[in-house]
């Protein structure tokens, strides 16, 4: 592993520490139970509120529990679920 990677890791750790000290009460407002759900919710959060995302993701997460499920999904089916968030065609394309 090159020293650049170690330097980047140290820098990221430092930034994380500073942010944690500066904003001790900060937390993610998105509801998720695993890394895939967090990634999906984050993608969906563009141009809408976390509250709104949290209203549609339970149905989406139930229908598509794995990355493979998203890869095999029909974009229109995802659009139907996420339509209330806005930008549904673009977001569903990105998810698939």
């Amino acid at each position: 592993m090159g020293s650049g990677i170690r330097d980047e890791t140290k820098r990221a750790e430092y930034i994380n520490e500073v942010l944690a000290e500066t904003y001790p009460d900060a937390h993610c407002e998105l509801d998720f139970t695993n890394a895939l759900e967090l990634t999906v919710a984050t993608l969906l959060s563009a141009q809408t509120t976390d509250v709104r995302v949290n209203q549609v993701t339970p149905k989406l997460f139930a229908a598509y529990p794995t990355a493979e499920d998203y890869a095999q999904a029909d974009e229109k089916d995802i659009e139907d679920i996420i339509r209330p968030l806005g930008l549904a065609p673009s977001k569903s394309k990105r998810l698939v």
Side-chain angles (χ1 to χ4, degrees):
M1 196 170 2
S3 65
I5 292 173
R6 284 192 300 269
D7 292 343
E8 290 174 12
T9 300
K10 283 184 178 182
R11 183 169 185 252
E13 288 170 351
Y14 171 75
I15 291 170
N16 192 42
E17 288 172 17
V18 170
L19 288 171
E21 290 171 10
T22 305
Y23 304 101
D25 298 324
H27 63 280
C28 182
E29 296 289 335
L30 296 169
D31 295 336
F32 63 95
T33 61
N34 58 52
L36 175 62
E37 290 181 359
L38 176 58
T39 302
V40 169
T42 301
L43 185 148
L44 295 176
S45 69
Q47 302 296 311
T48 192
T49 66
D50 292 347
V51 170
R52 193 72 152 152
V53 171
N54 290 337
Q55 291 172 347
V56 302
T57 51
K59 182 175 181 180
L60 185 68
F61 295 162
Y64 304 96
T66 70
E68 185 176 339
D69 293 327
Y70 286 100
Q72 296 175 355
D74 183 301
E75 289 178 25
K76 295 291 184 191
D77 292 338
I78 293 177
E79 276 184 51
D80 290 343
I81 297 171
I82 67 171
R83 189 166 318 287
L85 303 178
L87 305 172
S90 175
K91 290 178 182 182
S92 66
K93 182 177 183 176
R94 299 291 180 272
L95 288 175
V96 172

